[in-house]
Amino acid sequence: LYLMRHGKAEPASTDSRRPLSHFGLAQVRATADLARAGGRFVEIPAEILHSSKDRARQTARVLGGCLGWPSPLREHPGLDPDADPAPFLAELNADPRCLAVVGHLPFLPHLAGMILGGKVPSFGEATLRCLENSRRGWKEIWSVEPKVENPRKS
């Protein structure tokens, strides 16, 4: 299971849909490059699920494209920022396939905390985490955070 938070979005004052900013696109590409360079991927996901938000859809598309995943993208109604993660977790537990999920705060840390038995990992912008389910339960295998300088902070 791959869990990824979207990259930096445009402020609502610039665009009410809040798509990824240029910096956010660079973050997603950097995360994909780091993950690919590290040879981290064991399995290609069957689907890349994302919320209804533009920034999550864009992140899913860029991630899949950068990694060469042929996985179809699918909007999932249970992945919006304030959604209850319990119903989605029940779906994950019933689905044996490898999936990638692109979402938001606070949803992703809450979901990951439920999966990992209370351990709530942080999800910075464009952070990608890989979790694995085995007979012993879920555990985090690795994580990647982008190393990109924001030109607006200089």
Side-chain angles (χ1 to χ4, degrees), residues 59-76:
T59 298
R61 187 180 67 244
V62 172
L63 178 69
C66 286
L67 294 173
W69 287 346
S71 317
L73 303 181
R74 181 166 63 93
E75 184 176 308
H76 191 290

Side-chain angles (χ1 to χ4, degrees), residues 21-145:
S21 64
H22 291 294
F23 179 66
L25 285 166
Q27 287 177 308
V28 174
R29 289 184 186 111
T31 295
D33 289 347
L34 285 168
R36 185 178 51 245
R40 298 174 187 272
F41 295 101
V42 177
E43 195 172 345
I44 294 172
E47 289 184 293
I48 304 173
L49 307 177
H50 59 82
S51 77
S52 62
K53 308 289 186 189
D54 285 351
R55 54 196 176 275
R57 182 180 306 106
Q58 289 173 299
T59 298
R61 187 180 67 244
V62 172
L63 178 69
C66 286
L67 294 173
W69 287 346
S71 317
L73 303 181
R74 181 166 63 93
E75 184 176 308
H76 191 290
L79 299 178
D80 283 337
D82 294 318
D84 176 2
F88 185 73
L89 179 56
E91 287 182 43
L92 283 179
N93 287 331
D95 190 341
R97 302 175 304 156
C98 175
L99 299 171
V101 176
V102 178
H104 312 267
L105 298 179
F107 179 84
L108 284 174
H110 290 166
L111 174 65
M114 292 173 76
I115 290 171
L116 297 171
K119 180 185 173 201
V120 179
S122 64
F123 276 88
E125 292 167 344
T127 294
L128 176 63
R129 296 185 178 282
C130 178
L131 308 180
E132 180 181 71
N133 193 4
S134 68
R135 284 183 232 152
R136 294 182 180 174
W138 287 93
K139 65 180 179 178
E140 183 172 328
I141 304 301
W142 53 262
S143 68
V144 175
E145 295 186 34

